[in-house]
Amino acid sequence: MSRGCCGKYDVNRALQLTLACERTRGPDLLRLGMASHCVSEADVLASARELTARIANFSNGGGTRMKRAIHEHLLGK
């Protein structure tokens, strides 16, 4: 069974990104494989709205169920 981020990403890289308290830009996260895409700062709000609209259109609470399943998987519950 996969352990999500811990199985896919180097633990040292994850610690560096979280504990260093340094801002990591989208292109760097994309290059590291930790982001699926990045947009310009001017397009962030439109991109976020598009994503939330797609999630909101999942039928019968599908988005909520997916989020719960991911959360439970990451916590091992």
Side-chain angles (χ1 to χ4, degrees):
M1 176 183 288
S2 170
R3 289 292 300 150
C5 295
C6 294
K8 184 174 180 182
Y9 305 114
D10 177 47
V11 173
N12 291 328
R13 172 69 67 192
L15 287 171
Q16 177 186 7
L17 291 172
T18 55
L19 299 177
C21 297
E22 294 177 5
R23 185 172 180 173
T24 305
R25 303 280 181 181
D28 294 326
L29 293 171
L30 188 63
R31 181 181 51 79
L32 293 169
M34 299 183 106
S36 60
H37 68 283
C38 67
V39 297
S40 69
E41 196 167 331
D43 294 330
V44 168
L45 186 56
S47 181
R49 286 182 173 153
E50 180 183 312
L51 175 61
T52 57
R54 285 197 317 259
I55 293 170
N57 285 324
F58 289 153
S59 62
N60 300 322
T64 300
R65 286 195 310 276
M66 284 189 289
K67 182 179 176 182
R68 185 178 302 122
I70 291 167
H71 187 261
E72 289 172 358
H73 175 75
L74 291 175
L75 293 178
K77 292 183 177 182

